[in-house]
Amino acid sequence: MAHSAVGESAFGEPAVIDWLLDGDVAVQYQTTRDLLHREAPSLQGRITTEGHGAALLAARQPNGHWGRGFYQPKWTSTHYTLLELKGLAPSPDCAPAREAVALVLATEKGRDGGLNPSATIKDSDACVNGMALDYAAYFGAEQEDLASVVDFLLAQRMPDGGFNCAFNRRGAHHSSVHTSTSVLEGITEYARRGYRYRLGELLAARADIIDFLLRHRLYLSERTGQPMDPEFTRLHHPARWHFDVLRGLAALADAAVPYDSRMEDAIGILESRRGRDGSWVANRPYPGATHVPPDAAGQPSRWVTLMAFRVLAAYGPAALDHPAAPDETRRRGT
C-alpha cells in the first residue's frame, strides 16, 4: 500500500520502512541495502535516471560544471552537487560525475596542492578538501590526482586531533567539528575504495578525529559542558558542510567505529527526536538555492529517518523497536 506520509498508526518499524520504500528511488535503494540487507542493483541503476539523481544530472552545464563553476553558488555549484549526488549512492561508474571529478582535479588545485576555489585566498580549505576527497574517491578519481589533496590534508592536522579550515588561514588553536567530520568522511571513503597513497597516515589521522569527536561527546564544549552550538542538536538533510549530531554519528557508524559510551548523549538526542509515528523530521534547511527542493521543515523526512535508523542499527538496536515515548511539549525539527 502506498503512503504519502507516515500513517498516524505507524508506531512500529515495518510501517516506517514501507513509507521509506515509497520515497525517491535513492531512498528506496539505500533502505533496501542498509535496513533490509538486500542487494538492489536495479534500484541503484535507476538513481541517475529518476527522481533527485536525474534532476541533479540534468542541471549540469555544457562546460562540465554545475552552477557557475566549482564552488559558486554554494549549493548548486559543482562541488556541492557532486557531494549531494554521492549521498544518493548511484553507481560509482556514473560517467557525468566521474568526468566532473576529473575536471575539478585538473583545474581547481591551488599552489599548496589542495582544491582552492578562491582567486584571492592563497591557502586551500581543509573542509572543502575533506568533502572533495569523499566524492572524488567515491567516483573513482585517479590516485595520482588525489595525492596532492591527501598531502594537503595531512599537513592540516592539529595538535588536538582534529582539523579546522582556519588553521592555515587564521591560525586557529582548536579543531572544528564541521571540518573534522568532513575529513573523517573523506578518509573513510578513500580507504573503502582501495586507495593506498599515504593510507596509514590517513587512518592515523582518522583515529585522532574520532577521539576528538568522542572527547566532545560529538557536540559539547570541553570547557563548559554545554552544546557548542544549539544547531548541533537539530537534524538536517543534506548537511553539506554543517555539523549536527546525526551527521556526526552517521560518520562514526560509516567508519565502523565501535559503540563508545561517549556517544550516549548524542544518541539520546537522536532518540528523543523520533516522532510518535516512528519517523524523524528535518530542521529548516540551510539557506540558498538548490537543484532539488529540500524536505519541508517540521514534516517527516525520509532522509533523516533513514539516516537515524542506520545510526541506531549501529549504536542503539533496542531503539529500533522502542520509539521514544510521546512528549507533546517536544519541539521536533526546530
Side-chain angles (χ1 to χ4, degrees):
M1 180 175 66
H3 297 77
S4 60
V6 182
E8 287 297 316
S9 62
F11 289 98
E13 182 182 350
V16 183
I17 297 296
D18 288 345
W19 173 68
L20 292 174
L21 292 172
D22 283 334
D24 183 79
V25 66
V27 177
Q28 295 178 43
Y29 169 64
Q30 293 186 41
T31 298
T32 302
R33 180 193 66 185
D34 299 337
L35 303 186
L36 302 180
H37 308 293
R38 297 201 301 259
E39 296 298 324
S42 62
L43 281 174
Q44 187 180 35
R46 291 164 48 196
I47 292 172
T48 56
T49 61
E50 299 178 22
H52 293 178
L56 294 179
L57 291 175
R60 190 179 178 212
Q61 306 291 332
N63 64 2
H65 278 290
W66 283 264
R68 297 196 302 272
F70 175 50
Y71 205 72
Q72 295 295 331
K74 265 288 198 286
W75 312 142
T76 57
S77 65
T78 297
H79 174 75
Y80 283 106
T81 303
L82 285 170
L83 186 69
E84 188 170 358
L85 185 63
K86 186 264 180 179
L88 301 182
S91 168
D93 294 328
C94 174
R98 292 172 72 92
E99 292 165 5
V101 166
L103 174 64
V104 165
L105 291 171
T107 61
E108 300 294 338
K109 287 181 180 176
R111 62 186 184 184
D112 56 13
L115 293 171
N116 188 347
S118 175
T120 58
I121 302 174
K122 66 178 182 178
D123 297 311
S124 299
D125 181 307
C127 193
V128 169
N129 280 269
M131 290 183 281
L133 185 65
D134 185 14
Y135 63 68
Y138 182 84
F139 288 118
E142 296 294 332
Q143 180 166 278
E144 54 265 34
D145 294 334
L146 291 178
S148 68
V149 174
V150 169
D151 292 341
F152 168 75
L153 285 172
L154 286 172
Q156 303 308 308
R157 296 177 70 179
M158 294 188 64
D160 62 3
F163 288 75
N164 189 321
C165 63
F167 180 52
N168 59 330
R169 295 178 169 198
R170 299 187 297 275
H173 298 290
H174 191 281
S175 291
S176 156
V177 289
H178 303 288
T179 306
S180 297
T181 303
S182 293
V183 177
L184 167 60
E185 292 164 340
I187 295 172
T188 295
E189 197 60 47
Y190 182 89
R192 177 160 42 227
R193 298 293 160 181
Y195 294 96
R196 305 299 302 172
Y197 178 72
R198 301 188 74 177
L199 179 60
E201 293 166 89
L202 286 172
L203 293 178
R206 185 175 70 168
D208 286 344
I209 294 171
I210 292 165
D211 181 67
F212 166 77
L213 292 173
L214 291 175
R215 286 203 318 271
H216 288 82
R217 297 183 177 267
L218 281 82
Y219 70 102
L220 298 176
S221 166
E222 285 185 297
R223 181 174 56 83
T224 68
Q226 298 300 309
M228 291 180 273
D229 186 331
E231 202 69 17
F232 293 174
T233 68
R234 299 161 185 156
L235 313 181
H236 307 80
H237 185 273
R240 310 189 198 276
W241 65 264
H242 295 275
F243 179 86
D244 62 34
V245 293
L246 177 58
R247 183 187 176 202
L249 288 166
L252 294 175
D254 194 42
V257 177
Y259 171 81
D260 187 292
S261 61
R262 291 171 293 179
M263 300 173 181
E264 195 59 39
D265 291 335
I267 293 170
I269 289 172
L270 184 60
E271 291 174 330
S272 75
R273 294 273 181 182
R274 192 177 189 186
R276 294 182 61 191
D277 60 9
S279 72
W280 282 260
V281 305
N283 194 54
R284 61 186 180 275
Y286 298 110
T290 60
H291 295 301
V292 176
D295 291 338
Q299 297 300 312
S301 165
R302 286 183 170 91
W303 278 113
V304 172
T305 299
L306 170 61
M307 292 174 64
F309 268 122
R310 278 198 293 242
V311 167
L312 294 180
Y315 299 129
L320 290 173
D321 299 318
H322 298 89
D327 179 354
E328 297 301 330
T329 66
R330 181 163 54 100
R331 296 179 62 199
R332 297 172 59 216
T334 59

